[in-house]
Amino acid sequence: MSIYRKKYEYWINSPYIDEKGKSELKNIDDEKEIEDRFYKDLEFGTGGLRGIIGMGTNRMNIYTVGKATEGLSRYLIKKYRGDISVAIAYDCRIMSKEFAQTAACNLCANGIEVQLFKTLHPTPMLSYAVRKLKCKAGIVITASHNPKQYNGYKVYGEDGGQITDAWANEIFLSIEDIKSFSEVRHISMDEAVDRNLLHIIGEEIDTSYIEKVKNLVIRKEFVRSHAEDLKVIYTPLHGTGNIPVRRTLGELGYRNVFVVKEQEKPDGNFPTAAYPNPEDPKVFHIALDMAEDIKPDIIFGTDPDCDRLGVVVKNSQGEYKILTGNQVGVLLTDYILSSLKEFDRLPENGEIVKTIVTTDMAADIAGNYKVGLINVLTGFKYIGEKIKEFEKNGDRKFIFGFEESYGYLAGDFVRDKDAVIASTLVCEMTLYYKMKGKSLYDALMDLYKKYGFYREKLISIELRGKKGHDKIETIMHCLRHSMKRTIGGVKIVEKFDYKLGVKKDLMNISESSIKLPRSNVLKFVMEDKSWFVVRPSGTEPKIKIYLSVIGNSLENSRNKMTALEKNVMDVIKSAD
């Protein structure tokens, strides 16, 4: 009998699996489906758990969540002495509340206090609550912008940042030590309350968080005087952003915020957006219909757990276009730095932090303001880690961080990307340019004319199941060991292998070490400053290819991107 079949039989015969779960498994008549559910355990990594909801070891369910939490509980008890508390939040997704309660009851069964949000809340507010309540860890139940079939489980450290590699590896080993469901402890919610272990997070956390967000406004008097002049259409995409985003903007004086009613209420089925990702232009179709009558200065949307923000602006042809994460990031970088400089508040030791797959235009802007820029691995957790490092050493000041996948952060009271903060800053920035007679598109064109016409693109290739997993490994192996020295006739001058921690200068035939954590990522830089990065996704069955070019006009950069994409995809497709 195959390993996956043995696991399947164990589940349907286990006294710890309820009858509903067993029935779901027994009704599967596709052997491939059984294999996919049991050929591996849902892997716990730096992103925690993420997977399709359903019964099986490779699925998100109360049993995989319970086992992961038991492993986390054991790790926390081993790591800390004395009292331990954990904050828990959850989003609008199917089973999110149930998974949050499962985690809470397991932690409490292990004698760990839990601070649980009573209702759904954005991911960044969990980060804030961990810090504010002085918890040792945090959990948020979310699958971010994935389709409705998915849910996930992210773990945060006591600094409010997502756990990074060292923590994740130790928690993973702790989970691996659990060999049977009988080892997973559990008490009821009522018992947890009776034992004074389960506490509900109150309104005071929401209020103090929103006050902190409002204090990030740079031009406070300007916003107070002109906020009513800005017209906004906002969609929470059926997620958690509706209340905190609208409350924050309302308290700042933005009176003309029009919400997409069809996407206002939380709904884990995402009836109007099968892929609830603000990177996808299709999620804005209702907002764009509204725009014909409202004629807003800006349209924006937040993803289900409200950590990502998508922005739509009108271009010079009068067409609404969604900005990329890189474009919003460089607009905010320039606006924040120029505004701080104007008010003589730009720190001498200030730093912008971005990921290695994010536009290099940010470095040009930072350099113009004589501010440092640091690159970190893909994932906002590494930006949060840098804030912690700055705080500990006291030698540098975090100003702003962003990643190309629509994540932005200012301030240090949250340690993850935050769409409530981002929406507030984007409104201020849009209002500022409007009062100068410009749109955000105009401001972006000004930056391109000054720094070069940067263009970036992300290609995600979905490769499901064991066969897909093997294909991803083959692609990475071929690129790592068999990549040619030119691509499309352009020389590759540098190769960054983040798994080996080595940077190769292919022109001078020399090597140097990369001072970043090890990660299965490859970056190739060309002679004309174009580059591409290839990495397996840490949360989805995908391989991701990031592309970047710089041109002397919009058309030139568009043509260069078309050529680079074709050449890189030819290399990917030929990998075997």
Side-chain angles (χ1 to χ4, degrees), residues 9 45 162 298 469 550:
E9 295 293 337
Q162 287 185 52
I298 191 168
H469 178 267
I550 178 171

Side-chain angles (χ1 to χ4, degrees), residues 355-415:
T355 64
I356 58 173
V357 298
T358 298
T359 180
D360 288 333
M361 188 175 181
D364 294 343
I365 296 170
N368 182 59
Y369 291 97
K370 297 179 173 55
V371 165
L373 181 133
I374 294 176
N375 281 293
V376 296
L377 289 177
T378 308
F380 221 91
K381 54 186 169 284
Y382 296 110
I383 296 177
E385 192 175 43
K386 279 296 171 186
I387 303 173
K388 181 180 179 181
E389 180 185 309
F390 297 166
E391 191 174 66
K392 180 182 177 181
N393 296 336
D395 57 343
R396 285 172 288 181
K397 176 70 175 176
F398 173 75
I399 299 175
F400 181 63
F402 76 103
E403 60 182 0
E404 52 75 39
S405 55
Y406 289 52
Y408 322 95
L409 179 67
D412 60 4
F413 56 92
V414 170
R415 298 297 167 88

Side-chain angles (χ1 to χ4, degrees), residues 281-301:
K282 292 194 288 295
V283 304
F284 291 104
H285 70 284
I286 303 174
L288 291 172
D289 288 341
M290 291 173 59
E292 293 182 14
D293 293 327
I294 294 172
K295 295 179 173 50
D297 299 300
I298 191 168
I299 301 169
F300 60 78

